[in-house]
């Protein structure tokens, strides 16, 4: 473990090391930095200048101030599970890792909120309060590892966000270190709405470009009285898609409504958490309803009827909590499971009107055929949030570029049918050019103007979220010419 | 930056070769190609939990191992650190959706490191003493055991403790000394004259046991219990003479050559055995993974595969073959710790719990995070005491207050947990799962109702 022994000629690293406390609180050797050259998006890789591990807000503030005064680019990193490259140090940034700020500071059951540090892992919150009958609703599939700070930055969603809303609907307050080092607090004591502009809303989902979140107050919910989960297998993807639409239009609001196609099923069944899905089906739906016990059985009956009307091959209700857990583990580890059938994947994140599902899937299929790359589809079907996973092998020359093109083409389809290019994974590096599919120059400028109010020197997480050219590109060039 | 790398000396001979891996038997590409960098393994990793640094996480380690192959990194000190801080606990293998064999990659990487540079200082001394001088040699182990026994019985132990001589030993050795189990006669010595230890009653199966190197010296009563439990359930037991240390500690330390040597000896020694029963999870896991050592030697790999198929942990063997649940009551409250190499390494979780729950009067209290490493990890607690201590501390915090015993299936964990009990002022007794079962059988016999009844 060892203490801080910093040996380098880089004066900034020596100075930064003095600002933080704790064992190995700064990394600066190439070998140690390599693990930080990308996040869950592996296509771009850049080494940071250093990684620092503050343990409290004051340390974060001091580091940020130092960076601002010395014109050093910096960015925040949580667990690095982001899928759009948000935590990748494009400009040789100082990475401020928040994983050592991982305490659960307060739980107020009466007023239904909890206060956490940004490095606190999503699933741990539910695990810490479940014995008292409470949970934290946003449940990204990466919840075993991702941090709530990262969730705020990406406005993360999850399977159960169909009924309960995404991260932004559960944030009651934030403490933020601004890009100049000032510490501000928005929303207090679990009371979110203050007069004036909705700053909480603005910061949530800002992808780490407006400030560094150092404390978060979140809403917690009481466990639903009852829960039922259904698996439905379809021989035909159109029937599956239609069943999704029918369920929603029947008036039921399922807690979750997930879908996987044939290639995705092949992946999850080959991986670590198989549940025995038949190999020859075209689509599987995972449907969950929850609420007061009285109405649940009726809802399940209705869902079963809808599925049968849409020619379902087989449909079953989870017998117990253990079976339900296995079904969810199978679904939630779906992205990683692709490792079992492909060396690399690029996951896309489009949103479409539900009614366009069959059309979009057909067009994605065509993209797959044309590119010669397999594309698996895992998605939050209930809210039309599609995750095409482009499978490729980066060791084959040219295949990475092909995958990027195929991914972009998928997003184009989503935008064309009136949807959007990201549901929950953010724009990051990955989709910044695709922003043009949904915004014109003026709209983009309006947004960069807002960023510049918070982040005028563009030192914080530059080169993300908006297509270049923009002011940040200039900074990058300026910095490049200096070094 | 590159200057660090360039100072590395080149090996005298290069037989293997993959990027900057210059020696034979490098980490296998197909193992890291499975990793999609999703990060779902991060929180499972005890070293990441302690340090919060990604080079000390499974994903980070795989990334570094891959970087060496890609030529972006050299096999040097800075690479060795994350690779050797790994506990080899395999929790990442359980967590990983793509089933990446992180443990296997780490062991192969360690093999490269050990060939590239020699160990220095305290670590080198400890490693050399245990791995080369002691464990592979039964006679020396027995001699050491006898010395220990002498140490305990003669009053030397009391003397050392009283005179303060103990204060000049390194801290973790002091902790170890204080929990040293009482040394009894190794089963290999005890049953030296017997070819076969016959089943009590009708013989249903023939099995051999791995008596283990350290196990038979420090924990011969567990071997004794294993034999009792096996014979009690219709198994004739043999203890093949030429068997040796399983080699797990050598392989964990990167000495794959020694690992292969020991593996070959064991494969030969158990040639005629139908089943190889193991009561030490770490050893069992290693025996099951012998084929991994012979990627460059198809003939031995074939033999290793045959051998590995015969290996089974005692708890799973009893569970699978059907055993007679004891009838006598052992009124006690216990908790169960999942040894890493049982739960993560061999996927054995329910079987030992089932055995314990079928002992009348045993009440099992759930231990949160029961499958979290205790920090023992072979001789990791000796080579990386600081990290091991931090991990032990969080383990002990999870041990329920009101239990009398902590049961588990691995001697290394037993020593480490005993240190924990002592260090944090707890009072639990540390027991092996088969010991509890054996005690129940013994009590049953004492009560004179020792009749067979299959489960
Ligand atoms: C297998 C897998 C499944 C996934 N499933 C989902 C899913 O179902 N739904 C979903 O929404 N996402 C999902 N994701 C994406 C990812 O997990 C989320 O975006 C998550 O919120 C990222 O959290 P993190 O802690 O890993 O953040 P990081 O990846 O470390 O960072 C992400 C961004 O947030 C910024 N950031 C991090 N911490 C802070 C902070 N404290 N203050 C300010 N900015 C910060 C970073 O600068 C970066 O721009 C998945 C990812 C994987 C690998
Ligand atoms: S080892 Fe497995 S869980 Fe960890 S990053 Fe790689 S694929 Fe994901
Ligand atoms: S084996 Fe254990 S310590 Fe090593 S990387 Fe995996 S989880 Fe971490």
């Amino acid at each position: 473990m060892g203490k801080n022994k910093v040996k380098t000629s880089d004066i900034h690293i020596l100075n930064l090391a003095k600002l933080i406390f704790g064992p190995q609180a700064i990394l600066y050797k190439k070998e140690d930095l390599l693990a930080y050259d990308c996040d869950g998006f592996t296509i771009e890789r850049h080494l940071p200048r250093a990684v620092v591990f503050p343990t409290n807000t004051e340390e974060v503030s001091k580091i940020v101030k130092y960076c601002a005064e010395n014109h050093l680019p910096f960015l925040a990193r949580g667990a690095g599970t982001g899928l759009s490259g948000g935590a990748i140090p494009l400009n040789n940034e100082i990475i401020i890792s928040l994983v050592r700020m991982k305490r659960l500071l307060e739980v107020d059951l009466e007023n239904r909120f909890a206060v956490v540090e940004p490095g606190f892992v999503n699933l741990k919150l539910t695990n810490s309060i479940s014995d008292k009958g409470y949970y934290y609703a946003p449940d990204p599939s990466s919840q075993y590892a991702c941090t709530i700070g990262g969730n705020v930055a990406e406005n993360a969603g999850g399977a159960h966000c169909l009924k309960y809303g995404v991260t932004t609907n559960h944030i009651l307050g934030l403490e933020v270190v601004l890009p100049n080092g000032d510490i501000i607090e928005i929303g207090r004591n679990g009371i979110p709405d203050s007069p004036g502009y909705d700053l909480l809303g603005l910061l949530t989902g800002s992808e780490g470009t407006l400030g560094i979140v150092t404390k978060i107050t979140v809403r917690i919910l009481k466990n639903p009285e009852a829960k039922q989960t259904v698996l439905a297998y379809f021989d035909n993807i159109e029937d599956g898609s239609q069943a999704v639409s029918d369920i929603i239009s029947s008036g039921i609001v399922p807690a979750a409504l997930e879908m996987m196609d044939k290639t995705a099923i092949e992946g999850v069944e080959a991986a670590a958490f198989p549940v025995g899905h038949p190999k020859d089906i075209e689509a599987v739906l995972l449907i969950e309803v929850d609420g007061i016990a009285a109405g649940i059985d009726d809802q399940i009956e209705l869902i079963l009827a809808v599925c049968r009307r849409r020619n379902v091959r087989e449909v079953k209700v989870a017998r117990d909590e253990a079976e339900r857990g296995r079904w969810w583990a199978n679904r939630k580890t779906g992205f990683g499971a692709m490792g079992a059938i492909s060396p690399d994947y690029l996951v896309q994140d489009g949103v479409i009107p539900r009614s366009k599902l069959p059309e979009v899937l057909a067009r994605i299929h065509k993209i797959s055929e044309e590119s010669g790359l397999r594309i698996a589809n895992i998605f939050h079907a209930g809210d039309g949030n599609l995750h095409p996973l482009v499978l490729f092998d980066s060791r084959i020359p040219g295949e990475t570029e092909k995958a990027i093109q195929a991914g972009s083409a998928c997003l184009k389809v989503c935008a064309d049918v009136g949807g959007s290019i990201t549901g929950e994974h953010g724009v990051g590096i990955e989709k910044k050019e695709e922003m043009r599919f949904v915004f014109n120059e003026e709209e983009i400028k309006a947004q960069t103007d807002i960023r510049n109010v918070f982040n005028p020197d563009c030192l914080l997480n530059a080169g993300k979220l908006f297509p270049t050219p923009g002011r940040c590109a200039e900074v990058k060039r300026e910095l490049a010419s200096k070094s | 930056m590159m200057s660090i790398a360039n100072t590395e000396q080149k090996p005298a001979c290069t037989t293997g070769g993959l990027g900057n891996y210059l020696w034979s038997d490098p980490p296998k590409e197909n193992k890291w190609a499975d990793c999609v960098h999703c990060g779902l393994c991060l929180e499972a990793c005890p070293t990441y939990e302690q340090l919060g640094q990604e080079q000390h996480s499974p994903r980070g380690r795989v990334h570094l191992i891959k970087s060496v192959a890609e030529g972006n990194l050299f096999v040097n000190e800075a690479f060795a650190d994350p690779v050797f801080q790994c506990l080899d606990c395999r929790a990442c293998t359980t967590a990983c959706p793509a089933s990446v064999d992180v443990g296997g990659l780490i062991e192969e990487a360690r093999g490269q490191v050990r060939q590239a540079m020699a160990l220095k200082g305290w670590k080198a001394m400890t490693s050399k003493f245990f791995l080369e001088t002691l464990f592979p040699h039964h006679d020396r182990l027995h001699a050491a055991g006898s010395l220990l026994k002498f140490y305990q019985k003669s009053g030397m132990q009391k003397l050392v403790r009283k005179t303060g001589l103990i204060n000049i030993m390194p801290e973790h050795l002091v902790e170890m000394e204080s929990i040293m189990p009482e040394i009894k006669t190794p089963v290999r010595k005890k049953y030296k004259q017997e070819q076969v230890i016959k089943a009590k009653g009708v013989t249903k199966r023939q099995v051999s046991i791995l008596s283990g190197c350290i196990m038979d010296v420090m924990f011969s009563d567990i071997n004794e219990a294993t034999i009792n439990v096996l014979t009690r359930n219709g198994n004739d037991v043999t203890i093949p003479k030429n068997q040796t240390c399983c080699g797990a500690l050598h392989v964990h330390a990167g000495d794959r050559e020694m690992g292969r040597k020991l593996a070959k000896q064991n494969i030969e020694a158990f040639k005629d055995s139908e089943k190889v029963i193991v009561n030490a999870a770490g050893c069992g896991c290693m025996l099951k993974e012998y084929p991994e050592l012979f990627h460059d030697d198809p003939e031995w790999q074939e033999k290793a595969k045959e051998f590995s198929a015969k290996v089974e942990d005692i708890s799973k063997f009893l569970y699978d073959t059907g055993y007679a649940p004891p009838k006598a009551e052992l009124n006690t409250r216990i908790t169960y710790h999942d040894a890493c190499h049982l739960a993560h390494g061999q996927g054995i979780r329910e079987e030992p719990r089932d055995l314990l729950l079928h002992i009348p009067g045993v009440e099992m209290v759930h231990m949160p995070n029961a499958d979290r490493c205790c920090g023992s990890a072979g001789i990791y607690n000796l080579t990386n005491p600081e990290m091991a201590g931090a991990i032990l501390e969080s383990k002990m915090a999870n041990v329920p207050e009101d239990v009398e015993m902590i049961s588990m299936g691995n001697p290394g964990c037993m020593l480490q947990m005993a240190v924990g009990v002592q260090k944090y002022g707890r009072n639990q007794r540390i027991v092996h799962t088969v010991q509890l079962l054996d005690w129940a059988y013994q009590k049953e016999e004492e009560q004179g109702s020792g009749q067979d009844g299959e489960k």
Side-chain angles (χ1 to χ4, degrees), chain A residues 12-27:
Chain A
H12 292 311
I13 287 177
L14 292 169
N15 288 338
L16 281 167
K18 288 184 205 135
L19 301 176
I20 31 177
F21 190 74
Q24 290 180 30
I26 184 162
L27 299 176

Side-chain angles (χ1 to χ4, degrees), chain B residues 355-375:
Chain B
L355 298 191
L356 292 168
L357 284 170
H358 275 93
I359 302 174
V362 165
E363 190 190 339
M364 175 95 81
V365 182
H366 170 72
M367 182 196 303
N369 300 315
D371 65 352
R372 197 77 167 170
C373 184
C374 63

Side-chain angles (χ1 to χ4, degrees), chain A residues 233-304:
Chain A
Y233 296 123
F234 292 87
D235 288 307
N236 178 319
I237 198 132
E238 248 157 66
D239 281 334
S241 318
Q242 216 49 64
V244 171
S245 285
D246 292 357
I247 290 168
I248 304 282
S249 49
S250 74
I252 299 174
V253 185
L257 210 182
E258 302 283 304
M259 186 165 173
M260 291 191 280
D261 75 353
K262 194 170 183 174
T263 310
I265 293 167
E266 183 190 329
V268 292
E269 287 300 303
F273 303 95
V275 291
H277 297 313
K279 295 233 155 53
D280 58 337
I281 46 152
E282 291 293 327
V284 55
L285 293 185
L286 179 59
I287 310 155
E288 191 159 280
V289 287
D290 67 10
I292 44 172
I296 296 280
D297 288 344
D298 293 348
Q299 293 188 27
I300 288 288
E301 272 316 310
L302 204 69
I303 287 171
L304 296 184

Side-chain angles (χ1 to χ4, degrees), chain B residues 29 35 40 59 258 260 334 358 389 431:
Chain B
E29 183 176 356
C35 173
L40 295 197
R59 173 173 75 172
M258 187 62 154
R260 275 186 276 273
I334 66 166
H358 275 93
V431 293

Side-chain angles (χ1 to χ4, degrees), chain A residues 336, chain B residues 34-41 58-59 62 92 95-100 102:
Chain B
D34 289 345
C35 173
V36 289
H37 218 76
C38 68
L40 295 197
C41 50
R59 173 173 75 172
V62 172
C92 45
C96 172
S99 306
V100 174
V102 184

Side-chain angles (χ1 to χ4, degrees), chain B residues 27-181:
Chain B
K28 305 295 173 288
E29 183 176 356
N30 60 355
K31 287 192 186 138
W32 74 69
D34 289 345
C35 173
V36 289
H37 218 76
C38 68
L40 295 197
C41 50
L42 292 176
E43 281 296 307
C45 178
T47 56
Y48 178 76
E49 182 186 34
Q50 293 299 329
L51 292 170
Q53 298 185 330
E54 293 208 24
Q55 76 275 28
H56 293 294
S57 77
R59 173 173 75 172
R61 289 178 173 125
V62 172
H63 195 52
L64 295 183
I65 289 170
K66 180 176 164 185
S67 299
V68 174
E70 288 174 344
N72 295 325
L73 195 64
F74 285 85
V75 177
N76 58 20
E77 206 76 48
F79 173 69
D81 181 42
V83 163
F84 275 89
Q85 288 264 2
C86 164
L87 295 146
D88 220 325
C89 72
R90 311 288 174 96
C92 45
T93 310
T94 300
C96 172
S99 306
V100 174
D101 180 12
V102 184
L105 279 170
I106 300 248
E107 284 177 354
E108 286 158 356
R110 288 179 178 181
Q112 299 288 306
V113 173
R114 274 298 148 266
Q115 292 176 82
M117 56 187 118
L119 273 178
K120 288 185 212 111
W122 162 248
K123 281 184 197 179
M125 254 166 57
T126 333
S127 292
K128 201 172 161 64
F129 174 67
F130 283 105
L131 299 184
E132 288 172 33
T133 318
L134 204 54
F135 288 167
H137 305 284
H138 261 287
D139 45 343
R140 288 184 205 164
L141 263 175
H142 287 183
S146 306
L147 257 176
L148 270 177
K149 201 155 133 184
F150 173 75
Y151 174 71
Q152 290 174 338
K153 291 266 146 74
S154 64
M156 269 273 277
Q157 186 169 35
K158 277 203 196 100
L159 196 70
V160 167
R161 287 180 188 173
K162 240 165 83 190
T163 54
L165 209 59
I166 201 156
N167 297 333
I168 61 171
M169 287 157 79
E171 194 195 347
H172 42 287
L173 270 197
V174 174
E175 285 166 1
M176 275 289 167
E177 191 275 351
S178 61
I179 52 89
M180 216 113 67

